[in-house]
Amino acid sequence: MYKEKIDSYLDSKREEMLEDLMHLVRINSQKGEAKEGMPFGEGPAKVLAEAEALMKKYGLLTKNYENYVVTGDFSEKEKELDVLAHLDVVPVTDDWTVTKPFEPKIVDGRIYGRGTADDKGPAIAVIYALRAIKELGIPMEKSVRLILGSDEECGSGDLKYYYSIEKEAPCSFTPDADFPLINIEKGRLEANFHASFEKEPVLPGILRFESGDKANVVPQKARFLAAGLEKQAITEAAEKLEKECKVHVSVEAAECTALGDKEENCFMIEVRGQAAHASTPQEGKNALTAALRMITYLPLAPSKGLDALKALEQLMPYEDTCGKTLGIYRQEEKSGATTLCFSILHYEDGALSGTFDARLPIGCTEENTKSVVAEKLSSQGIILEDEPMTMPHCVSGDSDFVKTLLGSYERYTGVKGEPLSTGGGTYVHNLERGVAFGCMTEDVDNHMHGDDEFMVIDTLVMSAKIFADAIIKICN
């Protein structure tokens, strides 16, 4: 009924939409040092203020929640829908080629800059959807609230604060994922573990091992210091590993003291693989697990520390990215299978600590997952730290809410929409009735979290139209 009016209005506002997006992208909103009244630093607080000014300008009723989030209500009527987007961004590098991260630039139908895709672009699309409905005078029986956060990339402390004050709406979606719609998100076990041993200065041995710094990334590099070995033995093990795991190994002479005296046969071994997201570990080449495998090839003297390293290699071997050996593999029709990424390991001076990241389908519980891991590690003298497991999230694909959103997607794309599952987590994972809806499309790699991040401008405008259509139907 209102489709032609909305389409025409948003097409006419295309340039304004891009100007508003560029204004937000120019703000470096990476998480910074907390200050009074700025829980996530100056950048996030500044971008919230500018976004609130935009929402006020376009007629929304705004509120700032102590610079954790800002909200914009369509009206004072009963609230039916929350839309959650975030304005904080991930760190940047100096390797951008099209433009600098916080200097947005339009090239060949794309707008480049940090946050254009994740998640300032989608936030602007929602603001313009609400602006269209309001300025066209389209009646709505109930209201919608846009919630703009500032800590999605670093733990979602913003939402924890907000939902300690406010209640979840009857329906919620976040435009921070893929179209057509994600209604199932796997659970997650970010398992931290540790062990300690009496220092055993036996040779030949491993004096130090280090790999990984983020739980949710397949480590691209691993390094370990070996003493008391002939280089020939290391070279043979490296060649075997390269052939089996398709990784690269480099060996350099190093200086070290193992038994109090300078050890001549000391080498730093580096294994290089391929990084990937922890939710898709099969797409990478895990340097950490490859390096542990190489250690098993070396003629090393027995020690408790070596036993622990070998045990970890057996429990989470290079080729197992789904937790079968660890005993936590599970597969479910709609949410898929368990994935496992051994992402961090540090070992030195009789102390070992590490982390693995498991993404868990529906049916995984603390009893059949976390407890199993704890028992397996404990049998090897390794302690699993007692931290909560994030349970899988699912909103029924048969619900009227999901069907309404998919209907709006289909109306504008002409493509049949089916709800999807993801191993990643979104802003609505902990909301009982929350789904992810837009703005990415599977056929485009937006370089999200990478260099030269961009948003296709046509997709941005189409997303605003889809959101407007969905909001009208949900709130009426």
Side-chain angles (χ1 to χ4, degrees):
M1 180 178 179
Y2 302 107
K3 185 175 182 300
E4 290 184 3
K5 289 183 179 180
I6 290 171
D7 292 357
S8 177
Y9 176 90
L10 288 171
D11 285 338
S12 73
K13 301 298 182 183
R14 183 186 183 101
E15 297 305 317
E16 287 186 43
M17 188 185 304
L18 293 175
E19 285 296 326
D20 285 341
L21 175 54
M22 287 191 283
H23 179 64
L24 296 185
V25 170
R26 291 187 185 104
I27 301 170
N28 180 346
S29 52
Q30 298 176 79
K31 187 174 184 177
E33 181 182 352
K35 298 183 178 181
E36 185 176 355
M38 301 178 182
F40 308 115
E42 293 182 8
K46 181 178 180 181
V47 79
L48 287 181
E50 294 301 319
E52 182 177 16
L54 275 182
M55 291 192 292
K56 281 183 178 179
K57 178 180 176 181
Y58 300 137
L60 302 183
L61 308 174
T62 67
K63 182 175 180 178
N64 185 317
Y65 289 77
E66 307 295 332
N67 275 330
Y68 284 85
V69 307
V70 295
T71 61
D73 287 2
F74 185 83
S75 70
E76 295 181 344
K77 294 181 179 179
E78 179 185 358
K79 184 178 66 169
E80 181 67 18
L81 174 67
D82 281 341
V83 182
L84 298 92
H86 68 90
L87 302 177
D88 58 309
V89 296
V90 297
V92 299
T93 72
D94 295 326
D95 298 327
W96 285 55
T97 61
V98 178
T99 186
K100 293 181 180 180
F102 303 108
E103 297 178 8
K105 185 177 182 180
I106 295 173
V107 180
D108 296 331
R110 299 173 171 182
I111 178 168
Y112 287 83
R114 177 59 89 223
T116 51
D118 181 28
D119 193 37
K120 294 177 181 178
I124 286 293
V126 178
I127 288 174
Y128 269 76
L130 295 173
R131 180 185 178 187
I133 297 168
K134 185 168 285 288
E135 294 189 5
L136 289 171
I138 297 172
M140 294 221 294
E141 294 180 6
K142 295 184 178 180
S143 186
V144 53
R145 172 174 292 177
L146 174 57
I147 303 167
L148 298 177
S150 58
D151 188 44
E152 192 271 349
E153 302 292 1
C154 297
S156 296
D158 50 353
L159 290 193
K160 292 184 181 74
Y161 179 82
Y162 173 79
Y163 283 110
S164 71
I165 299 170
E166 301 287 2
K167 293 182 179 180
E168 178 183 346
C171 304
S172 302
F173 77 77
T174 180
D176 189 19
D178 294 332
F179 280 128
L181 179 145
I182 293 172
N183 70 316
I184 298 175
E185 298 179 17
K186 288 181 178 178
R188 185 183 184 196
L189 176 61
E190 184 178 322
N192 298 299
F193 54 85
H194 66 272
S196 58
F197 327 94
E198 290 185 13
K199 295 182 71 172
E200 302 170 289
V202 295
L203 296 179
I206 304 301
L207 305 185
R208 184 169 72 248
F209 186 107
E210 53 190 28
S211 181
D213 56 11
K214 293 183 179 180
N216 65 346
V217 177
V218 174
Q220 186 173 3
K221 182 173 72 173
R223 289 162 56 89
F224 63 94
L225 186 64
L229 288 168
E230 296 295 330
K231 187 172 183 179
Q232 180 63 28
I234 296 174
T235 300
E236 290 175 358
E239 290 174 351
K240 183 178 181 181
L241 187 77
E242 288 182 333
K243 183 177 180 180
E244 290 183 351
C245 299
K246 311 302 181 190
V247 295
H248 175 71
V249 182
S250 61
V251 181
E252 294 184 359
E255 290 188 1
C256 61
T257 54
L259 299 176
D261 298 321
K262 185 175 180 180
E263 173 59 49
E264 293 183 358
N265 292 338
C266 193
F267 299 93
M268 179 62 75
I269 296 98
E270 181 173 286
V271 178
R272 282 189 171 270
Q274 179 178 323
H277 194 277
S279 64
T280 53
Q282 69 280 3
E283 295 179 3
K285 292 183 175 66
N286 193 319
L288 189 164
T289 53
L292 287 179
R293 173 174 287 189
M294 182 174 168
I295 288 173
T296 69
Y297 297 157
L298 297 172
L300 301 168
S303 72
K304 291 183 179 179
L306 179 61
D307 288 344
L309 293 175
K310 286 185 174 181
L312 290 172
E313 192 279 330
Q314 292 173 357
L315 290 171
M316 293 177 280
Y318 177 80
E319 67 278 357
D320 183 357
T321 58
C322 54
K324 287 185 177 180
T325 311
L326 196 57
I328 61 171
Y329 176 78
R330 192 179 190 93
Q331 185 160 6
E332 194 269 337
E333 180 181 359
K334 293 182 179 180
S335 54
T338 302
T339 61
L340 177 74
C341 171
F342 192 173
S343 46
I344 301 173
L345 181 62
H346 299 288
Y347 169 78
E348 187 175 14
D349 292 336
L352 174 153
S353 64
T355 303
F356 71 81
D357 185 333
R359 305 299 170 107
L360 309 168
I362 293 171
C364 288
T365 64
E366 293 215 348
E367 183 178 4
N368 64 26
T369 304
K370 181 180 172 182
S371 297
V372 171
V373 171
E375 184 176 347
K376 287 281 183 75
L377 292 178
S378 178
S379 69
Q380 302 297 330
I382 302 170
I383 299 171
L384 178 69
E385 296 176 12
D386 189 16
E387 297 170 340
M389 184 178 106
T390 302
M391 304 305 294
H393 171 75
C394 178
V395 174
S396 173
D398 293 326
S399 66
D400 291 340
F401 175 47
V402 168
K403 289 179 178 178
T404 298
L405 294 178
L406 289 176
S408 295
Y409 168 80
E410 292 167 0
R411 197 166 292 111
Y412 276 91
T413 64
V415 178
K416 177 66 175 176
E418 297 290 344
L420 306 172
S421 170
T422 181
T426 77
Y427 224 15
V428 297
H429 188 97
N430 295 317
L431 298 182
E432 181 182 354
R433 297 172 295 277
V435 301
F437 184 54
C439 286
M440 305 303 106
T441 56
E442 290 184 348
D443 59 322
V444 176
D445 177 5
N446 296 78
H447 299 179
M448 189 182 293
H449 288 199
D451 303 326
D452 295 328
E453 176 185 347
F454 69 86
M455 170 65 82
V456 176
I457 295 171
D458 285 346
T459 301
L460 183 70
V461 176
M462 181 186 72
S463 296
K465 296 174 181 178
I466 293 172
F467 295 151
D469 187 77
I471 289 167
I472 291 167
K473 288 175 170 56
I474 290 167
C475 293
N476 284 303

